[in-house]
Amino acid sequence: MKIRYTEGKLSVELEGDTQKALFKQLSEFQEVFGNHRCQKCQSDSTRFVVRDNGGNEYHELRCTECHARLSFGANRQGGTLFPKRKDESGWLPNGGWVKYNKDTGKNE
Ligand SMILES: [Zn+2]
């Protein structure tokens, strides 16, 4: 089975032998690429960015309007990513789309 799925500006073609296999692929796709709209200012003007810091890669979406970021963590297995909606102090506002505030030292 093949399906074509569109989320925002992105289209993907997925292939799987079973509905369960396709469901899993859609889930993984939506988990990451379903976050293209900034939840802080509702802009669709966002960019995918990979930062390399001493061999560690950091994946994030950046809003070109308000400069908020949505950071992604990497699952230990499977090479998949997940949006970070919490930090050490709890749930982040705007579904994880935050800007670091130097004055408070918090992601807001
Ligand atoms: Zn924004």
Side-chain angles (χ1 to χ4, degrees):
M1 271 183 287
K2 273 187 194 174
I3 54 173
R4 184 177 309 242
Y5 179 77
T6 300
E7 178 84 54
K9 301 173 202 163
L10 303 174
S11 280
V12 66
E13 191 170 280
L14 303 171
E15 189 167 1
D17 291 335
T18 64
Q19 289 178 330
K20 283 167 67 177
L22 287 169
F23 201 102
K24 185 166 190 276
Q25 290 180 56
L26 277 169
S27 166
E28 290 171 355
F29 184 79
Q30 286 182 322
E31 176 86 343
V32 173
F33 299 107
N35 293 290
H36 53 85
R37 174 170 290 160
C38 174
Q39 296 301 308
K40 193 171 180 76
C41 75
Q42 308 306 317
S43 171
D44 284 325
S45 191
T46 54
R47 295 179 53 222
F48 291 88
V49 175
V50 180
R51 287 188 297 120
D52 188 313
N53 187 353
N56 291 318
E57 287 187 335
Y58 296 91
H59 300 77
E60 57 192 31
L61 271 166
R62 289 188 193 165
C63 177
T64 61
E65 295 290 327
C66 75
H67 306 292
R69 297 174 182 195
L70 176 64
S71 298
F72 291 85
N75 289 306
R76 291 196 179 158
Q77 294 182 336
T80 54
L81 300 170
F82 62 91
K84 290 184 177 175
R85 303 199 194 276
K86 290 167 117 178
D87 68 6
E88 52 283 345
S89 58
W91 291 99
L92 294 165
N94 313 311
W97 282 90
V98 291
K99 288 196 277 191
Y100 183 72
N101 183 329
K102 283 183 204 154
D103 296 334
T104 64
K106 289 182 177 176
N107 288 310
E108 301 171 349

